[in-house]
Amino acid sequence: MTYTLDSLMCRDGFTCACGKRHFGQLSDCIIGEGALHRLPDILQKYSANRPFVLCDRETYAAAGEAVCAILDQTGIAYTLHIIRRTRPAPDEKIVGEAFMFCPPDADAVIAVGGGVINDTGKIVSAQKHIPDIYVSTAPSMDGFASASSSMEREGLKVSLNSKCPDVVIGDAAVLAAAPRHMIVSGIGDMMAKYVSLVEWQIAARLVGEYYCETVADIVRSSLETVRTCAADAVLGDKTAVCRLAEALVISGLAMNYAGLSRPASGMEHYISHIMDMRALAFGTPCELHGIQAGLGTLLTVRGYEWLRRQTPDREKALAYVRRFDLDAWFDTLRQGLDEGAAAMIAGEQREHKYDADKHAERLEKLLADWDAITALIDTLPSSQALAQFYTAIGHPLSCLEYGLSEDEIRFAFTAAKDIRDKYVLGRLLWDLGLLDEAAGELQIG
């Protein structure tokens, strides 16, 4: 089934076969030619007369200047703040800076930019209880319409509850003029859905997580849209770029429907998060979020292909867990992530996912359901097909291309399972006693 934005933007929600009532939360989405010129009407609709315009230097040039010109032409008073740092990080500093420059009487936030600006604008508007209008400068990630903000807090990559924007605006001319690398990033973020949807189903079987086939089908539909428009989008075709942007918005709506990030992120995103955390702690190379998620997808699919060639062995798994030294693993996390490891260690001390008794229960379930799990794994695209698709659109094929070492990539693969209490490939491999072996044999380049 094909889903459209209009059909999914239902703030009143709908009752689903999964037993939940799903809410879209996004009220207005304008993607297409001349979308920026609808801004005054949008502000009037939300009774906003004193918006706070937030952008960085690059996004001011891409669309912020045009936004301010439109506000000037229509006589709408506004406060503009431009983040001066180059490639500002999504952390406490940028949120604090935005709050400090947002005037007390601001009655809307207009966040002009990509993921960092969008996530910051959502936090400010949520805390001030004012409308949030997001103006996209590139179809680079799928968080446009999500109700959370992906931020770095005390060195740990976290997903903070904020709000879904009230409005998303994507002007065709602005989106098509975005750097090709950022368009490729948006495509990479969508490719991650292959893994996230399979892992969501595996987690539902093994640990009883909530799963909704309707939400999954919505994501599959948007993923198929991206597969068909990707080649034209990277060439700057306006229609294709707008289709990509709509698919990214739909992915965010799917997360809102589910009430969690499962439909759109899994092991591949957590590999990316580890890379972000190392970059924050040690200044190691990092890439755009969507690029890293796309590379994490390729690594994770290769991990599943390796796993598919193995035969589960109960005694091997139990012996592995008996030998596992949790304190030594915590030391490894500290060495690899510095201060960022503290929150991950604290999370494990609450979750006890490494508890031997809990492991034994999961292992029996895993062994009993192995045929069903392998059937789900078999629905993933092959790593060869993914690599061919990436090559065609100019997406990197390895983190080695932007300066990470093999050891750093293998560390990200093994540590990704500790980002959240979420059952992903790393957890599955650990439960089978195969994680170290898989990481050691993982094809990196």
Side-chain angles (χ1 to χ4, degrees):
M1 179 177 178
T2 301
Y3 297 87
T4 65
L5 268 173
D6 288 342
S7 68
L8 294 173
M9 288 196 311
C10 46
R11 289 189 69 93
D12 292 337
F14 65 91
T15 301
C16 180
C18 74
K20 279 193 173 186
R21 188 167 182 82
H22 296 308
F23 295 90
Q25 300 183 41
L26 179 64
S27 294
D28 292 283
C29 185
I30 306 166
I31 296 176
E33 292 279 2
L36 271 183
H37 294 283
R38 298 280 302 279
L39 185 56
D41 293 337
I42 288 293
L43 289 169
Q44 184 177 25
K45 176 179 178 178
Y46 288 88
S47 301
N49 303 300
R50 300 175 304 279
F52 172 57
V53 181
L54 178 69
C55 52
D56 61 32
R57 288 183 293 185
E58 292 182 352
T59 62
Y60 176 76
E65 187 174 11
V67 165
C68 292
I70 290 169
L71 297 179
D72 287 334
Q73 291 166 8
T74 51
I76 297 173
Y78 62 92
T79 300
L80 168 67
H81 179 63
I82 302 174
I83 304 291
R84 300 293 176 181
R85 283 177 286 152
T86 302
R87 291 191 68 177
D91 57 15
E92 300 94 336
K93 292 180 182 178
I94 192 171
V95 172
E97 181 175 342
F99 271 106
M100 289 179 69
F101 284 93
C102 183
D105 63 348
D107 54 10
V109 173
I110 302 176
V112 184
V116 175
I117 297 296
N118 179 28
D119 284 338
T120 304
K122 287 191 283 188
I123 292 173
V124 173
S125 62
Q127 292 299 314
K128 292 179 71 69
H129 304 289
I130 56 178
D132 180 50
I133 301 168
Y134 172 56
V135 177
S136 175
T137 54
S140 58
M141 54 89 203
D142 71 349
F144 295 163
S146 72
S148 62
S149 294
S150 182
M151 307 297 288
E152 292 168 356
R153 184 177 63 188
E154 294 185 332
L156 176 67
K157 198 80 173 183
V158 297
S159 184
L160 300 177
N161 291 328
S162 51
K163 65 173 289 184
C164 174
D166 297 278
V167 185
V168 170
I169 296 176
D171 191 285
V174 173
L175 297 176
R180 178 176 177 175
H181 197 58
M182 299 192 78
I183 296 173
V184 170
S185 175
I187 298 169
D189 206 0
M190 286 303 302
M191 292 301 102
K193 293 10 168 190
Y194 283 118
V195 170
S196 65
L197 292 176
V198 165
E199 291 190 329
W200 195 14
Q201 293 174 85
I202 290 174
R205 295 193 68 92
L206 290 183
V207 295
E209 277 195 27
Y210 158 77
Y211 173 77
C212 175
E213 181 58 28
T214 299
V215 172
D217 197 46
I218 290 170
V219 176
R220 291 188 193 102
S221 174
S222 61
L223 177 54
E224 184 58 29
T225 294
V226 172
R227 280 183 54 82
T228 59
C229 75
D232 291 330
V234 296
L235 296 177
D237 179 85
K238 289 182 180 179
T239 299
V241 170
C242 287
R243 290 181 68 204
L244 170 60
E246 288 181 358
L248 291 164
V249 170
I250 289 172
S251 177
L253 289 174
M255 288 187 274
N256 294 343
Y257 282 157
L260 70 171
S261 64
R262 264 296 189 188
S265 74
M267 174 80 166
E268 76 297 325
H269 270 65
Y270 295 162
I271 291 173
S272 173
H273 290 347
I274 294 294
M275 293 173 179
D276 286 341
M277 291 167 65
R278 281 187 54 78
L280 180 66
F282 306 115
T284 52
C286 64
E287 252 289 1
L288 294 174
H289 164 77
I291 298 290
Q292 289 188 166
L295 290 170
T297 299
L298 188 55
L299 287 169
T300 304
V301 168
R302 286 172 176 162
Y304 275 114
E305 288 174 341
W306 181 89
L307 174 60
R308 191 66 178 85
R309 297 191 294 269
Q310 313 307 309
T311 300
D313 184 322
R314 177 184 287 103
E315 293 309 313
K316 179 176 181 177
L318 292 173
Y320 177 87
V321 171
R322 285 194 297 270
R323 294 193 306 270
F324 182 73
D325 187 332
L326 184 57
D327 289 334
W329 174 242
F330 285 166
D331 286 341
T332 299
L333 288 178
R334 293 185 187 101
Q335 292 167 13
L337 298 168
D338 199 27
E339 294 180 0
M344 293 168 68
I345 292 169
E348 168 53 27
Q349 290 169 340
R350 292 190 304 271
E351 298 151 9
H352 305 294
K353 60 181 173 288
Y354 294 118
D355 178 84
D357 291 335
K358 290 184 177 181
H359 165 258
E361 293 177 8
R362 289 195 306 270
L363 179 61
E364 292 308 312
K365 180 68 173 172
L366 199 165
L367 295 173
D369 279 3
W370 186 243
D371 288 345
I373 291 167
T374 54
L376 289 171
I377 294 172
D378 289 343
T379 66
L380 289 167
S382 71
S383 59
Q384 182 179 10
L386 268 179
Q388 290 173 345
F389 178 78
Y390 285 0
T391 298
I393 64 170
H395 190 294
L397 296 181
S398 172
C399 305
L400 296 172
E401 293 180 31
Y402 63 88
L404 287 183
S405 69
E406 286 203 11
D407 286 345
E408 288 170 327
I409 297 167
R410 294 186 201 282
F411 171 77
F413 185 85
T414 56
K417 68 187 183 309
D418 291 87
I419 289 280
R420 305 272 191 281
D421 185 16
K422 186 185 284 189
Y423 204 86
V424 295
L425 173 61
R427 294 275 301 274
L428 179 57
L429 289 167
W430 188 88
D431 278 350
L432 289 170
L434 297 172
L435 180 58
D436 299 332
E437 190 177 343
E441 298 186 20
L442 188 67
Q443 180 187 343
I444 300 297

